[in-house]
Amino acid sequence: ETASIEDVALADVVLFFSSPAEAHPLSFYYFMKGKRERGTIFITFDPRYSRTAAASDIWVPFRPGTDTAIFNYILHYAFFERNPPIDQLPEFQRLMTRWNITNDDLADLKEMLKEYDVATVSAITGVPKELLRTVAQIYVENSGVVTGHKKHGIVQWAMGMTQHTNATINIIRAAAIMQLLLGNVGYPGGGAHPFRGHSNVQGVTDVQGGGLG
C-alpha cells in the first residue's frame, strides 16, 4: 500500500483487479466519493460481471493470470503508440533521475515491452484489441507523467492477484514498474493499493510475540 485509503477519493482513474464493492465495501465508499465529486473513471478487470464492474465505466473480462501482460501493454502503448512517447516528456526525464533509472535500464525495458503489442496481448488475455487500446489510452493520458501531476491513476487489487504463482516476481512487480514510470507514485490520487481485510488483518499479522493474548 503506497497511500492512505482516503487518497483513493482523489484518483482520476482506477484500475480494479478485484471487487471491493463486495469484498471491501468500506474502502469502496472512498472510491465512490471520488466518482461523485471528481468524476473518477472506473475500469474493472474481472472475468465475471461483479458489483464493482456494474459501477464502472468500463468492464474488461480477461483471462485469469494474465495481469502482467495488461500492465506491459499499457507501457507499450505509452512508449510505442502514444505521440509523443512518454520518454520524450520533460516530466518523465525528471522522474528517471528521481528513480535512478539509467538510459541503459530504459532501453532494456523498452526492448522487452516491444513484444507486448496489442495483438499479442489480446491473444494472451482474450481482451479485444480496441478495448485494450482504449483502456491504455485512458490510463496513460490521466497519469502524472503526462498531465504534469494534475491527474493520477491507481491500481487496486486483492488476494486474487496476490495469490497467483507468479504474483511477486511478475504481476505485482509489473504493476509497481508501471505506476513508477507513469508518475503515479508519491502523489495524492496515485499509488498501488492491495486490499486486505477490514478488521485490520495487516495490523494483526504484524503483531510480534504472543499476538493479542
Side-chain angles (χ1 to χ4, degrees), residues 7-19:
D7 274 343
V8 304
L10 301 175
D12 295 281
V13 58
V14 180
L15 304 184
F16 290 108
F17 283 84
S18 77
S19 183

Side-chain angles (χ1 to χ4, degrees), residues 22-43:
E22 295 163 295
H24 300 91
L26 299 181
S27 301
F28 195 65
Y29 165 83
Y30 288 95
F31 286 110
M32 291 303 296
K33 182 174 186 288
K35 192 161 191 60
R36 288 193 305 270
E37 295 180 359
R38 60 190 297 121
T40 304
I41 302 168
F42 288 0
I43 302 172

